[in-house]
Amino acid sequence: MQIPSIAPTADAALSQALLAAINNKTKPLGSLGRLEELAAQLGLIQCSTRISIDQPAILVFAGDHGVVAEGVSAYPQDVTWQMVENFLADGAAINVFARQNGCALHVVDAGVNHDFGPRAGLVDCKVGRGTRNFAQEAAMSPQELDTALEHGMALMRDLPGNVVGFGEMGIGNTTAAAALMHKLTRLPLSQCVGAGTGLSGEGIARKQQVIAAAVDRHAGATSPLEVLATFGGFEIGMMVGAMLKAAELRKVLLIDGFIVTSALLVAARLQPAILDYCVFAHCSDENGHRMMLESLGARPLLKLGLRLGEGTGSALALPLLHAAANFLNEMATFASASVSTSGQ
């Protein structure tokens, strides 16, 4: 597997030009706060002092998880394919928010335990009918992981536009994400495991016990790709490949919640410069997401108490990217507006 090579966005001359352009707008210095930082980041990604938000898209990656057999979810596995049907019927929250914000939406079958057949709006990249139960054996073989990564990279090669948001759907995937977080950050498991789709306190304790036993069973999995193959999901692996390729192509990556961030955690261990390309949409209410963000040095744009997934946070943050681009591109300068820059 050839991991994409990602160039850091650091450019001292361009940073100075962007700062000068931002500071020359008709406003007090720094008065647009995070939007100014976002404009500078987008400019560095796009190598320009003029930003474009071109054909933004959100990809929702769906996959099932064998670890559901251990009773780690409040919902049955069938909900994964039923929600994919809901996406295709334009009935989910992500459909509403993507449509509201003029964003293309692509639903990807990365490994759902269901046969959809050829369907309009569904991208068939199925690696298998769900992963194996990582409480008993590795979730994926090395070959399956390679396939997931390659499919994710291929999707980015073919995707138009320069902004891509990531979303997911998969009953049991908060269990996989918590295991990835614990293994890759070394934070205590209790800080990584949360309620997911709505587990009770007893259910959360059960989830933590399952992950703890699996971590002991698979103690030899230590490298990022070994950890991903052992505990991850087809949808998480496919997101890792897509993220790496998107950053190599200098696209802006809109990062959603807990599961999407766990995929980024793997990608960042492989190519740390990927973080230069990431805009963190929000901090979710899933236990562990805040600490995962902190481990990446991330500053999310929003905190709305979300814990739905689907890429909903990515869609809701998209207007802020437009705002950052528009003020830099369209706002008058002091000179053009004949506004004085000196006090009386």
Side-chain angles (χ1 to χ4, degrees), residues 1-6 153 241 244-245 248 270-271:
M1 169 57 59
Q2 183 66 43
I3 299 298
S5 179
I6 298 171
M153 287 186 254
L244 290 165
K245 192 63 181 180
E248 183 186 49
L270 297 169
Q271 286 284 339

Side-chain angles (χ1 to χ4, degrees):
M1 169 57 59
Q2 183 66 43
I3 299 298
S5 179
I6 298 171
T9 63
D11 181 326
L14 179 56
S15 291
Q16 285 299 312
L18 284 161
L19 181 62
I22 290 167
N23 287 346
N24 199 30
K25 300 299 181 181
T26 49
K27 60 175 182 60
L29 289 176
S31 59
L32 284 177
R34 289 294 305 281
L35 287 182
E36 297 189 16
E37 298 173 17
L38 185 55
Q41 180 187 7
L42 298 179
L44 287 170
I45 292 170
Q46 298 181 4
C47 301
S48 176
T49 56
R50 188 167 184 83
I51 305 167
S52 69
I53 305 298
D54 179 32
Q55 299 182 72
I58 291 174
L59 279 70
V60 180
F61 295 82
D64 276 310
H65 295 256
V67 74
V68 167
E70 302 297 320
V72 295
S73 175
Y75 285 83
Q77 190 175 80
D78 281 352
V79 170
T80 303
W81 72 260
Q82 291 166 357
M83 280 303 301
V84 170
E85 291 286 1
N86 193 25
F87 299 147
L88 297 177
D90 209 28
I94 187 57
N95 300 97
V96 174
F97 298 153
R99 181 170 61 249
Q100 167 187 304
N101 292 310
C103 181
L105 181 65
H106 306 281
V107 182
V108 181
D109 178 4
V112 180
N113 187 19
H114 184 77
D115 290 323
F116 294 100
R119 299 288 297 280
L122 182 65
V123 183
D124 183 4
C125 291
K126 192 190 292 287
V127 179
R129 295 176 64 100
T131 56
R132 287 176 284 280
N133 181 355
F134 71 64
Q136 306 298 328
E137 58 185 316
M140 292 175 267
S141 69
Q143 294 76 23
E144 287 170 331
L145 177 57
D146 282 354
T147 299
L149 292 168
E150 288 168 355
H151 283 334
M153 287 186 254
L155 286 170
M156 288 303 105
R157 281 193 292 266
D158 296 336
L159 186 73
N162 61 8
V163 176
V164 56
F166 292 87
E168 44 60 43
M169 176 63 215
I171 296 300
N173 63 9
T174 59
T175 302
L180 293 175
M181 177 184 175
H182 173 60
K183 286 288 291 184
L184 295 175
T185 66
R186 290 300 174 189
L187 287 167
L189 192 53
S190 61
Q191 296 179 9
C192 304
V193 178
T197 51
L199 287 172
S200 64
E202 182 180 345
I204 294 171
R206 168 65 182 164
K207 184 195 288 192
Q208 185 171 326
Q209 291 166 0
V210 168
I211 297 172
V215 167
D216 287 343
R217 175 184 288 270
H218 303 295
T222 55
S223 74
L225 289 181
E226 288 172 341
V227 170
L228 178 57
T230 302
F231 301 101
F234 292 137
E235 84 280 30
I236 296 174
M238 212 167 287
M239 282 193 287
V240 172
M243 289 173 178
L244 290 165
K245 192 63 181 180
E248 183 186 49
L249 296 172
R250 300 193 77 96
K251 295 179 186 284
V252 178
L253 281 61
L254 262 176
I255 305 301
D256 190 43
F258 185 61
I259 293 94
V260 170
T261 309
S262 77
L264 177 64
L265 189 61
V266 177
R269 293 296 189 267
L270 297 169
Q271 286 284 339
I274 195 172
L275 296 175
D276 291 355
Y277 298 83
C278 295
V279 174
F280 293 87
H282 73 118
C283 181
S284 85
D285 260 11
E286 176 64 16
N287 186 49
H289 191 220
R290 179 183 60 81
M291 298 193 73
M292 195 190 296
L293 291 171
E294 288 178 359
S295 76
L296 291 166
R299 296 178 62 212
L301 293 174
L302 303 169
K303 183 168 175 54
L304 300 172
L306 305 176
R307 56 181 182 85
L308 177 58
E310 302 179 6
T312 47
S314 295
L316 292 169
L318 184 59
L320 297 178
L321 271 69
H322 284 289
N326 290 341
F327 98 76
L328 185 60
N329 294 341
E330 301 174 17
M331 193 172 169
T333 65
F334 285 104
S336 70
S338 300
V339 174
S340 174
T341 60
S342 59
Q344 296 298 316

